[in-house]
Amino acid sequence: MPVFSPPRTARLRAALLVPLLGLACAAHAQRGDLDRTDTLHQDLLGATLAGEFAVQAGRLDEAANWYLDAARQSDGDPGLAERATRIALLAGDDRRAAQALDLWRRHAPDSLPMRAAEATLSLRAGRDRVARRQLEALLRSGDPAGWRHAFTVLGGGARDQAQAARLLGQLVDSGAIPDTLQAWMAFGGLAQRLDRTDLTERILENIVARFPGEPRVALLRASQLRESGRPDEARQALAALGDAALTGPDLRMGIAGEYEALGDLADAERTLAMGPQDGRTYVLRASLMARAENKVALAALYEEVKAVALTPNPAQRLLLGQMAEYLEQYDEALDWYQTVPGGPERAQARLRGARVLHELGRRDDAWARLRELQSDGTSDEDMRRNAYLLEAELRQQGDDPAELDVYNRGLAAMPDDPAVLYSRALMWERRDDIPRAEADLRRVLVADPENVAALNALGYTLADRTTRYTEALELIDRARVAEPDNAAIIDSYGWVLYRLGRNEDALVELRRAFSMMKDAEVAAHIGEVLWVLGRHDEARKYFDEARAIDPENRSLLRALEKTGA
């Protein structure tokens, strides 16, 4: 969502009036003042500021009301009408969303984002026929952005997956999807995310007919077969691609990614080895070999990279150090890292050298190296911050109580650094000290009230580990305004809805998050909600998916203990 910028006249007035109006606007926003006779509701700047204060407080219903008033007073500013519409949609306030949309439509009738919001509102109201016409208009607009807006509406604006799949099927049947491979591939992926094998098959048939011989079609087919539990057929589809990986690095990465998802790490590495090699492919190949525990192949690759140049440059030296580290040849890795002469690679090599010292059991040397980096006045702030974070990470691995001391030293050197505070908050949460975790996250938000990661982390923590669900929802809503399509935030939103007892609504959001991000924690959340709803067989399926991704995930373990599944 674009950052809202008030009209020029409002900005000029703001410079003079913000100090005077700020406290009044905050007070009105905090008490949710809806009195239309109040002069603040009839003032463009006052209503806008009150709307922003309400957003920052996480009260989206009040924010939508204030922004709607501002849009009415703005003499036709489409930016205000757009923000009022979007906030009302996020708040689930369809009435105000329709009113704001009417203003937006009046002043920007040809805006594709406005027409997309229009379709979203129709979907939310259950007016599927109207929504279909609006989506078809977007798809047939002739503007390359039109189909992307339609894709976004179907992917995130529908009431549930069934509605989205039904509309998508109708759009396919009507021939509305533009005749471009990228559009068809996107909608094919959406059908796959919606767990609609039949619809995915129909879209694939269209793609094959329209774009015969296109290797990306075979790649989508392989992905669909894998997702539908037919791994052998997926492997056959990938094998049929033959030398297609040589046509370009993006396709090669895609094919390797499918093999990796199937667990065929050797085939993934073999695919990446096709065609020209660079630092990225060498690192990925080494990583795959290490995960497959194929040290013989990894050692051969190590020798291959060493032979690429007689005098390796800084990037190659860093890469060779990483490969030696993968091979657990820590002494050689340390030598490579120490000979990286300069440039951006030098900073990473110095940090990795400390990690290697730790692996060699030379922990005192590792701590000394990190202390040196932390106090190096010639290093930039990022390097010094990363040195503190790495030391804390290494101490955490050994359950070293000195982890806390590292964070404290980091904050003494860089007061209120958000990354250090955030990491210390996660440590407190792991130690079940929720008050201290909350305190650190709030310190981040005092300095940066719009820090999305901290808003989401605090909201989720309150939802997951306390009973302060309303407060959690307000924090998560603030994060949603900033990043409405962030899968982690959607998961947090679904989880707080579940904790508020809105199980069916929660399930819709959690499924949407999982379709965007295959994560053990999200799968565990879906499993728990399904279990509470009495759908135990389906819940077990998601618990099994979570186990396959990360069997030690803390949310999964808590959900299994709670449900007895």
Side-chain angles (χ1 to χ4, degrees):
M1 182 188 301
V3 175
F4 163 69
S5 177
R8 182 174 181 273
T9 54
R11 290 199 298 271
L12 292 173
R13 293 170 64 201
L16 297 173
L17 297 180
V18 165
L20 300 176
L21 288 176
L23 292 177
C25 293
H28 278 75
Q30 286 171 2
R31 69 173 184 259
D33 194 339
L34 303 182
D35 180 4
R36 283 296 186 280
T37 64
D38 190 315
T39 56
L40 197 58
H41 281 277
Q42 300 168 23
D43 178 81
L44 169 59
L45 179 61
T48 302
L49 287 174
E52 276 305 295
F53 277 116
V55 167
Q56 291 173 17
R59 292 192 284 274
L60 298 189
D61 53 344
E62 296 170 22
N65 176 66
W66 284 110
Y67 265 109
L68 180 56
D69 280 339
R72 285 169 171 153
Q73 298 297 326
S74 68
D75 193 25
D77 183 80
L80 282 169
E82 176 179 358
R83 188 150 175 83
T85 303
R86 295 192 184 282
I87 290 175
L89 285 172
L90 282 173
D93 189 339
D94 292 352
R95 181 177 64 84
R96 284 200 179 90
Q99 293 171 349
L101 182 64
D102 185 57
L103 291 172
W104 190 5
R105 184 189 300 113
R106 194 181 310 161
H107 299 295
D110 298 322
S111 164
L112 288 176
M114 184 281 297
R115 291 157 67 185
E118 194 174 46
T120 298
L121 193 58
S122 296
L123 285 175
R124 293 264 291 268
R127 301 194 302 269
D128 285 13
R129 288 187 179 181
V130 176
R132 175 182 168 181
R133 289 198 300 271
Q134 292 162 338
L135 289 166
E136 286 181 345
L138 283 169
L139 290 165
R140 292 182 168 131
S141 66
D143 189 318
W147 73 260
R148 298 180 188 278
H149 283 292
F151 173 82
T152 300
V153 170
L154 279 177
R159 290 184 299 176
D160 52 44
Q161 288 184 311
Q163 184 191 39
R166 184 168 59 252
L167 266 294
L168 177 54
Q170 292 170 0
L171 295 172
V172 171
D173 292 341
S174 69
I177 297 177
D179 199 25
T180 64
L181 177 60
Q182 192 175 10
W184 278 97
M185 293 283 286
F187 284 107
L190 176 59
Q192 197 171 332
R193 278 172 44 193
L194 295 171
D195 289 330
R196 284 293 301 272
T197 304
D198 57 333
L199 182 55
T200 308
E201 292 280 2
R202 283 163 54 199
I203 293 176
L204 279 170
E205 289 171 4
N206 273 277
I207 296 175
V208 170
R210 292 166 185 266
F211 311 99
E214 170 56 58
R216 283 176 289 179
V217 176
L219 184 60
L220 178 62
R221 173 66 174 161
S223 176
Q224 185 268 330
L225 289 167
R226 174 180 57 79
E227 289 280 353
S228 61
R230 297 151 69 185
D232 291 338
E233 293 178 62
R235 291 185 178 95
Q236 291 173 9
L238 290 171
L241 282 165
D243 292 335
L246 293 169
T247 61
D250 290 342
L251 186 59
R252 183 159 68 247
M253 290 291 179
I255 296 170
E258 278 303 311
Y259 275 124
E260 182 183 11
L262 286 164
D264 300 343
L265 302 183
D267 287 320
E269 187 278 324
R270 176 184 55 77
T271 302
L272 290 174
M274 301 171 70
Q277 299 294 295
D278 56 24
R280 181 186 180 196
T281 55
Y282 279 132
V283 168
L284 291 172
R285 288 173 63 194
S287 176
L288 289 164
M289 289 174 178
R291 287 169 53 198
E293 299 182 356
N294 188 347
K295 290 193 174 182
V296 173
L298 185 56
L301 181 63
Y302 180 45
E303 295 301 322
E304 178 186 335
V305 176
K306 282 198 288 187
V308 168
L310 295 176
T311 308
N313 61 35
Q316 288 171 323
R317 288 180 182 277
L318 176 63
L319 173 60
L320 287 164
Q322 290 171 311
M323 294 181 73
E325 191 177 339
Y326 282 136
L327 285 166
E328 300 180 14
Q329 296 179 14
Y330 296 124
D331 287 321
E332 285 192 33
L334 193 59
D335 288 341
W336 285 118
Y337 290 145
Q338 289 176 337
T339 58
V340 174
E345 296 84 4
R346 175 63 176 161
Q348 189 175 352
R350 294 175 75 188
L351 284 169
R352 295 205 71 92
R355 187 186 291 275
V356 167
L357 287 169
H358 186 268
E359 292 292 342
L360 285 166
R362 296 166 55 185
R363 296 189 177 183
D364 289 341
D365 291 338
W367 308 144
R369 172 74 61 87
L370 288 168
R371 294 284 183 98
E372 176 187 330
L373 293 174
Q374 292 158 8
S375 60
D376 185 352
T378 65
S379 297
D380 62 25
E381 190 172 88
D382 285 343
M383 160 71 87
R384 288 183 285 114
R385 176 189 300 108
N386 289 336
Y388 284 111
L389 296 177
L390 176 58
E391 183 180 354
E393 176 194 332
L394 294 176
R395 291 189 183 276
Q396 177 198 333
Q397 292 174 5
D399 291 325
D400 187 336
E403 178 189 2
L404 175 58
D405 176 65
V406 177
Y407 287 127
N408 292 341
R409 285 191 286 105
L411 290 169
M414 296 179 289
D416 290 331
D417 182 87
V420 180
L421 280 171
Y422 186 90
S423 295
R424 190 173 72 173
L426 298 185
M427 178 203 72
W428 289 128
E429 193 276 338
R430 285 196 319 272
R431 297 183 179 186
D432 298 320
D433 193 335
I434 304 307
R436 283 194 171 97
E438 178 181 353
D440 277 346
L441 290 171
R442 290 201 183 279
R443 281 178 66 182
V444 175
L445 292 172
V446 165
D448 180 8
E450 301 309 309
N451 187 303
V452 175
L455 286 169
N456 185 53
L458 180 54
Y460 177 77
T461 299
L462 295 181
D464 191 50
R465 307 297 296 275
T466 77
T467 57
R468 293 156 58 190
Y469 306 138
T470 301
E471 189 177 353
L473 179 59
E474 290 175 351
L475 289 159
I476 293 165
D477 274 344
R478 288 169 62 188
R480 289 171 65 220
V481 169
E483 297 183 17
D485 297 319
N486 183 311
I489 296 171
I490 294 168
D491 170 62
S492 297
Y493 181 51
W495 192 240
V496 74
L497 291 179
Y498 162 63
R499 301 287 269 177
L500 286 164
R502 297 166 57 184
N503 296 338
E504 293 292 350
D505 292 338
L507 199 55
V508 170
E509 299 298 332
L510 293 170
R511 286 188 190 277
R512 186 156 77 97
F514 193 63
S515 73
M516 300 165 70
M517 176 179 69
K518 301 299 184 188
D519 180 83
E521 189 160 329
V522 183
H525 289 164
I526 296 173
E528 183 170 331
V529 175
L530 287 167
W531 191 275
V532 169
L533 289 169
R535 296 154 63 177
H536 292 180
D537 289 341
E538 194 176 355
R540 288 190 180 93
K541 170 193 167 188
Y542 280 97
F543 286 142
D544 287 342
E545 287 203 51
R547 282 193 193 93
I549 297 168
D550 179 8
E552 300 303 318
N553 180 269
R554 296 169 71 227
S555 292
L556 170 63
L557 297 177
R558 286 202 299 265
L560 293 173
E561 181 180 2
K562 179 177 178 179
T563 61

